[in-house]
Amino acid sequence: MAIKRVYFFGGGKAEGHGGMKDILGGKGAGLAEMTNLRVPVPPGFTIGTEVCNLFYKNRGKIPADVNREIAAHLARLERGAGKKFGDAKNPLLVSVRSGARFSMPGMMDTILNLGLNDRTVQGLGKKTRNDRFAYDSYRRFLMMFSDVVLGIDKEHFEDLFEQKKFERGVADDLDMGAEDLKDVCGKFKSLVKARTRKEFPQDHKVQFELARDAVFKSWNNERARYYRRANNIPDDIGTAVNVQAMVFGNMGNDCATGVGFTRNPSTGGKEFYGEYLINAQGEDVVAGIRTPHQIKDLKKQMPGVFDQLVKITARLEKHFKEVQDFEFTVESGKLYMLQTRAGKRTAAAAVKIAVDMVKEKLISKEE
Ligand SMILES: Nc1ncnc2c1ncn2[C@@H]1O[C@H](COP(=O)(O)OP(=O)(O)OP(=O)(O)O)[C@@H](O)[C@H]1O
Ligand SMILES: [Mg+2]
């Protein structure tokens, strides 16, 4: 039998688990473990870290047998999600996410909403009866893909976006309507055409392969190499690539996205800690596009979701015996977990947390 290199997760079961960080990377191992714990996680698969090395050895190409394995997993994901990649009526959209064995926060690349093109964006708008959401997702994808894959700095897209907001006399992204966002998408595509002398790739297969390879390449971008040197992380372990069905925090006011810690990372205090935005996508919270809310406000805004989030993350902390640093998204009132990892803390906080955890009987003194 051929060596297994791609690992599925979804529907309450994962082929991998939390102990497989070497192969799945930290993010992939966390997603697999959460899936096995029956935490709500959008389905997907992880292309193992060895494929990154194969990719480099093979001069920037994925070997054919691995490609077949990936294709089979994509088909499985389509079945699991009940949507098809490139389907004009009900398109599957995915994120393509980096994730090495050691946490390298924000150092490598991730692309969201992959699978959108001029046709699927219309289908998505129709199906959800929400053109604003569809074009909001498309403009995000056009920008991220162009930045990461085509090497056109995202600043240029942000400038075009700001210009449009200025013309429309609005200060907040949320005041941009469907037509405005559609117009922005047109401007983004023109920019790509002007820079690359080619149309923005419309074929979802081409989009996927380029994005996957770009994430493997991001292992060797300058940021990531610098970070590895500074943190004594070996250069030859490679990144995994996680391909995951999208869930949408940007469909309206019953949607949200956020990040948090199960304890305060700077003081170690036992307080639920974090930030979120209503009607937004993941990167908005970190990018500071709008001022995020404190996570305690979620208790008022979405009490059911808040309770569930507290329960799930407390369970994860207990399971991993470490403070958890997590990401989540709420799509139409339903909570999904997108990442969990050991929280980075100050030394003083680390001591307080360890002492508290012994008191709370989460860990033994020896641990
Ligand atoms: N399938 C998905 N659906 C919705 N949001 C997603 C999905 N995949 C990723 N995201 C969100 O997109 C953002 C970027 O993803 P990702 O976690 O891969 O990179 P990062 O957080 O920038 O860096 P790091 O590698 O340190 O985690 C995160 O906020 C994440 O929660
Ligand atoms: Mg992340």
Side-chain angles (χ1 to χ4, degrees):
M1 226 197 66
I3 307 165
K4 186 171 177 59
R5 308 210 189 263
V6 186
Y7 297 80
F8 196 81
F9 56 89
K13 258 198 0 233
E15 292 175 338
H17 58 75
M20 290 171 65
K21 279 191 190 179
D22 284 7
I23 297 174
L24 302 178
K27 200 178 288 175
L31 290 167
E33 190 78 5
M34 287 197 288
T35 301
N36 286 332
L37 290 168
R38 306 226 158 214
V39 165
V41 171
F45 57 86
T46 303
I47 308 172
T49 52
E50 314 124 290
V51 177
C52 188
N53 289 330
L54 287 176
F55 173 81
Y56 281 105
K57 269 193 214 134
N58 202 28
R59 293 198 206 93
K61 271 208 169 132
I62 303 284
D65 57 330
V66 181
N67 240 335
R68 279 194 294 276
E69 199 180 340
I70 294 172
H73 280 76
L74 262 177
R76 186 167 170 194
L77 180 57
E78 289 180 327
R79 288 194 298 276
K83 295 175 186 180
K84 275 205 141 112
F85 226 12
D87 182 347
K89 289 213 179 91
N90 188 20
L92 171 69
L93 304 189
V94 298
S95 59
V96 181
R97 318 172 64 186
S98 57
R101 169 165 143 209
F102 301 105
S103 174
M104 297 170 55
M107 292 298 123
M108 292 178 291
D109 292 321
T110 281
I111 292 169
L112 304 182
N113 308 321
L114 188 135
L116 280 174
N117 60 28
D118 292 350
R119 279 172 58 234
T120 54
V121 71
Q122 290 179 23
L124 185 67
K126 244 193 214 140
K127 178 160 185 284
T128 56
R129 298 209 196 103
N130 191 342
D131 280 343
R132 185 196 182 278
F133 151 67
Y135 284 99
D136 184 55
S137 305
Y138 197 24
R139 61 103 184 168
R140 291 168 185 275
F141 171 58
L142 288 166
M143 178 169 98
M144 278 194 216
F145 188 94
S146 303
D147 180 56
V148 171
V149 177
L150 306 174
I152 310 172
D153 202 298
K154 67 170 186 278
E155 243 172 53
H156 302 294
F157 296 90
E158 281 163 357
D159 286 350
L160 286 173
F161 193 63
E162 287 308 311
Q163 205 177 316
K164 181 72 188 181
K165 273 163 72 181
F166 180 77
E167 279 166 31
R168 293 282 289 106
V170 305
D172 198 316
D173 291 9
L174 290 181
D175 294 325
M176 295 277 275
E179 283 305 315
D180 300 327
L181 293 167
K182 190 171 175 179
D183 183 57
V184 166
C185 289
K187 292 196 160 82
F188 282 9
K189 282 185 290 177
S190 302
L191 174 62
V192 169
K193 177 110 199 253
R195 285 298 183 97
T196 64
R197 305 189 178 274
K198 277 193 217 147
E199 298 293 342
F200 185 88
Q202 294 283 314
D203 183 337
H204 60 277
K205 283 197 191 120
V206 173
Q207 291 177 353
F208 174 74
E209 289 182 1
L210 288 173
R212 175 199 63 197
D213 294 357
V215 171
F216 280 134
K217 284 181 197 153
S218 76
W219 171 253
N220 266 335
N221 72 30
E222 215 172 316
R223 261 196 337 261
R225 281 157 55 156
Y226 179 81
Y227 186 89
R228 284 201 294 276
R229 262 203 307 282
N231 292 279
N232 286 319
I233 299 174
D235 274 328
D236 60 357
I237 56 176
T239 182
V241 174
N242 300 287
V243 179
Q244 190 174 26
M246 284 299 301
V247 287
F248 300 103
N250 61 330
M251 274 172 68
N253 289 332
D254 57 353
C255 303
T257 182
V259 296
F261 286 88
T262 50
R263 297 176 196 237
N264 185 319
S266 37
T267 64
K270 190 174 177 43
E271 53 183 304
F272 202 53
Y273 188 88
E275 298 181 319
Y276 71 100
L277 280 171
I278 296 283
N279 200 2
Q281 263 192 342
E283 74 282 6
D284 292 359
V285 179
V286 222
I289 310 253
R290 281 183 272 147
T291 312
H293 301 287
Q294 293 302 311
I295 208 145
K296 62 177 193 308
D297 298 341
L298 190 66
K299 196 176 166 88
K300 278 170 258 155
Q301 268 185 309
M302 298 181 175
V305 166
F306 180 82
D307 283 349
Q308 196 192 357
L309 184 64
V310 171
K311 275 197 196 115
I312 288 175
T313 56
R315 199 173 143 218
L316 292 172
E317 188 187 83
K318 197 169 172 185
H319 182 77
F320 289 106
K321 301 181 195 280
E322 292 239 41
V323 183
Q324 295 299 298
D325 165 358
F326 57 84
E327 293 173 1
F328 65 96
T329 281
V330 182
E331 178 182 306
S332 308
K334 186 166 168 15
L335 173 69
Y336 295 91
M337 299 305 293
L338 288 162
Q339 192 168 342
T340 198
R341 61 182 157 199
K344 281 222 158 71
R345 311 135 292 188
T346 60
V351 171
K352 175 162 170 47
I353 288 165
V355 172
D356 284 354
M357 283 180 137
V358 172
K359 275 195 210 145
E360 293 162 28
K361 300 201 165 48
L362 286 181
I363 56 176
S364 66
K365 263 204 188 113
E366 288 68 38
E367 282 174 316

